[in-house]
């Protein structure tokens, strides 16, 4: 462009110069914008560009601000949702989850797997950011696997839960991860641990998390009882998750359950059209 001038019809003129901002002129590098004062694109009198920039206080990069009405303003945080649940029975644990992976209002995956294997008798239900929880699971799985080789026996469920807790707490400002760890070991039998978003570790007879959990907390409290049989516990887990899927738009798809006991691991699948509760 050199030092030549480029004339543009209203609403604005653009010319190349090395001058500073004067009056209603705003420059970025060597480009100077003459701001319009009478142009009304939507029937309103806009404020000068520099005034809107100062008022917005938003910058793409240093010295590169957004317009106050720019459609490229930063997007809001993507909202996710799920329903995960784990319950103990006489001799083991049943873990269950829906299969919908949501990105705001968009269903990214309707048949995802939210229950991941950590070791032969230890599994984890994942909620929050899929990328964060998958990365955490991979790290804990590696550490647990190495220790199992060293000790020559099944690792403890509590040890896996503490590894999840340590990482979720240490990186709580950078992670969006809430997990439920369930499993069986000869010393403690069936166990359920929950690690919240902030890294708090809790052990209980059952744990529920995700956006759908708020709809079924009362139902779980009223129907859960210690010492249930394996089949009774599994059917109850399916019922709870189906109720959450009916009320929570971020939960849906099918139901996957994993039953862990001293005899091994059983994986069950319930299609979306065969739920214990009719979906909306």
């Amino acid at each position: 462009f050199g030092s030549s001038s480029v004339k543009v019809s209203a609403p604005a003129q653009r010319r190349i110069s090395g001058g500073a901002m004067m009056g209603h002129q705003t420059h970025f590098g060597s480009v100077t914008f003459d701001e319009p004062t009478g142009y009304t694109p939507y029937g309103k009198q806009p404020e000068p560009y520099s005034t809107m920039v100062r008022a917005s206080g938003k910058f793409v990069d240093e010295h590169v601000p957004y317009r106050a009405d720019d459609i490229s303003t930063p997007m809001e945080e993507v909202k996710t949702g799920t329903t995960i649940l784990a319950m103990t029975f006489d001799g083991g644990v049943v873990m269950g989850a829906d299969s919908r992976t949501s990105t705001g209002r968009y269903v990214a995956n309707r048949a995802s797997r939210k229950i991941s294997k950590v070791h032969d008798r230890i599994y984890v239900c994942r909620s929050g950011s899929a990328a964060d929880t998958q990365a955490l699971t991979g790290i804990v799985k590696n550490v647990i696997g190495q220790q199992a080789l060293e000790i020559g026996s099944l690792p403890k469920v509590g040890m896996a839960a503490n590894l999840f807790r340590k990482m979720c707490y240490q990186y709580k400002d950078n992670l969006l991860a809430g997990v439920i760890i369930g499993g069986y070991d000869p010393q403690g039998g069936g166990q359920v641990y929950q690690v919240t978003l902030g890294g708090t570790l809790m052990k209980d007879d059952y744990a529920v998390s995700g956006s759908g959990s708020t709809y079924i907390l009362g139902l779980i409290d009223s129907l859960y009882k210690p010492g249930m049989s394996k089949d009774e516990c599994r059917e109850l887990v399916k019922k709870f998750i189906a109720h959450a899927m009916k009320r929570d738009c971020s939960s849906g798809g099918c139901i996957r359950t994993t039953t862990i006991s001293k005899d091994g691991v059983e994986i069950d699948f319930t299609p979306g059209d065969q739920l214990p509760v009719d979906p909306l």
Side-chain angles (χ1 to χ4, degrees):
F1 291 81
S3 59
S4 60
S5 299
V6 180
K7 296 293 184 180
V8 181
S9 58
Q13 294 181 346
R14 298 182 181 179
R15 66 175 182 274
I16 311 303
S17 69
M21 184 174 69
M22 300 177 60
H24 289 314
Q25 292 184 348
T26 305
H27 75 89
F28 296 97
S30 61
V31 181
T32 299
F33 296 89
D34 285 340
E35 301 178 36
T37 55
Y39 180 58
T40 54
Y42 302 105
K44 298 181 181 180
Q45 181 69 31
E47 295 183 5
Y49 180 79
S50 56
T51 303
M52 289 190 292
V53 168
R54 288 194 299 270
S56 67
K58 297 177 180 178
F59 289 81
V60 183
D61 202 347
E62 187 177 4
H63 308 305
V64 185
Y66 285 113
R67 287 184 63 108
D69 59 346
D70 198 331
I71 61 171
S72 298
T73 50
M75 297 177 62
E76 294 182 359
E77 181 180 355
V78 175
K79 296 179 174 61
T80 60
T82 186
T83 302
I84 56 176
L85 172 65
M87 298 174 58
T88 59
F89 63 90
D90 185 17
V93 174
V94 175
M95 308 179 74
D98 72 308
S99 64
R100 176 175 293 177
T101 298
S102 57
T103 306
R105 297 182 179 180
Y106 174 72
V107 178
N109 189 341
R110 63 187 178 89
S112 62
R113 296 180 181 271
K114 302 178 184 179
I115 306 176
S116 300
K117 181 180 180 180
V118 178
H119 201 263
D120 293 346
R121 297 290 192 278
I122 304 174
Y123 281 72
V124 59
C125 290
R126 302 177 289 105
S127 68
S129 166
D132 291 349
T133 55
Q134 286 174 357
L136 284 174
T137 302
I139 294 171
V140 174
K141 182 177 181 179
N142 181 46
V143 175
I144 290 293
Q146 291 184 34
Q147 184 173 34
L149 289 175
E150 292 176 0
I151 63 178
S153 62
L154 291 175
K156 293 183 178 180
V157 181
M159 185 184 68
N162 271 289
L163 285 172
F164 276 105
R165 182 226 19 111
K166 181 178 180 180
M167 298 192 64
C168 287
Y169 180 78
Q170 184 174 356
Y171 302 103
K172 61 181 180 292
D173 294 331
N174 302 313
L175 296 176
L176 181 64
V179 296
I180 297 175
I181 302 95
Y184 175 90
D185 61 56
Q187 294 80 15
Q191 302 159 66
V192 170
Y193 295 86
Q194 181 174 8
V195 180
T196 63
L197 292 177
T200 300
L201 176 64
M202 297 175 289
K203 181 181 179 181
D204 209 338
D205 291 335
Y206 63 85
V208 59
S209 184
S211 58
S213 62
T214 57
Y215 298 96
I216 57 174
L217 283 172
L219 185 63
I220 296 175
D221 288 338
S222 64
L223 296 182
Y224 174 79
K225 54 185 179 181
M228 291 184 293
S229 66
K230 178 175 64 177
D231 293 336
E232 185 181 6
C233 185
R234 183 161 46 203
E235 292 304 315
L236 206 55
V237 167
K238 292 181 183 180
K239 180 177 182 178
F240 293 149
I241 296 176
H243 274 279
M245 291 166 60
K246 181 176 181 180
R247 293 296 180 184
D248 178 31
C249 62
S250 295
S251 302
C254 58
I255 298 176
R256 301 182 189 275
T257 63
T258 300
T259 304
I260 311 166
S261 65
K262 64 178 181 179
D263 299 324
V265 178
E266 302 174 26
I267 297 176
D268 183 68
F269 170 82
T270 304
D273 58 353
Q274 299 179 19
L275 300 179
V277 179
D278 292 333
L280 292 176

